[in-house]
Amino acid sequence: MSDPTDHRQQEEALRLTTVPSSRSEHTAAADTVLRQILATPSLAAQLLTAAADHLTKVKPDTELTLAGWGRALALADARILSGYPQAVAQHAGRRAMTALRPEMWAGARTRGEWALCLRKIAGSV
């Protein structure tokens, strides 16, 4: 016959392995937060998307002018980057602007066409 003490020790060991510890609960919560952070677009992507939103809403079938681009970017900056430290906002702005390839500026495009380009680029920054 087996010793009842050995059986109790085995049951206790099994119980300890099946009950979640506070560490595993913490890890699950951290994993959830990390997934949310990774799913959130970067500030640069949010900036480009906000500019695209403006270009889509305001006269999307007209040619984009330099003034129109400046206005769209300023509104996007105010909407997305307000409240962030200056260094963070500047870094996001630089990342967004460097993602725009020089050849994009070569031809005339409508505001709506620019919006499509900006949304596509936002997916990569």
Side-chain angles (χ1 to χ4, degrees):
M1 290 190 58
S2 65
D3 182 3
T5 308
D6 288 341
H7 184 66
R8 278 190 224 118
Q9 288 174 345
Q10 289 174 348
E11 286 182 67
E12 180 67 13
L14 182 60
R15 186 184 68 75
L16 290 175
T17 60
T18 59
V19 174
S21 69
S22 61
R23 179 169 167 78
S24 66
E25 290 170 8
H26 176 71
T27 302
D31 286 348
T32 301
V33 170
L34 184 58
R35 279 190 205 96
Q36 290 172 343
I37 290 170
L38 293 174
T40 302
S42 69
L43 288 175
Q46 291 178 48
L47 183 65
L48 292 171
T49 301
D53 290 346
H54 175 74
L55 294 175
T56 302
K57 289 177 188 171
V58 180
K59 302 178 186 175
D61 55 341
T62 61
E63 188 175 325
L64 179 64
T65 63
L66 186 57
W69 170 243
R71 195 168 16 265
L73 190 57
L75 291 170
D77 181 284
R79 183 173 137 201
I80 301 301
L81 300 177
S82 290
Y84 284 98
Q86 184 178 5
V88 172
Q90 286 178 344
H91 178 72
R94 281 190 208 105
R95 280 190 65 208
M97 294 303 99
T98 56
L100 302 177
R101 297 177 310 277
E103 61 270 11
M104 290 178 65
W105 301 98
R109 291 192 168 108
T110 67
R111 296 165 66 90
E113 290 169 333
W114 268 101
L116 291 172
C117 292
L118 294 177
R119 288 183 201 290
K120 182 176 180 182
I121 292 168
S124 66
V125 293

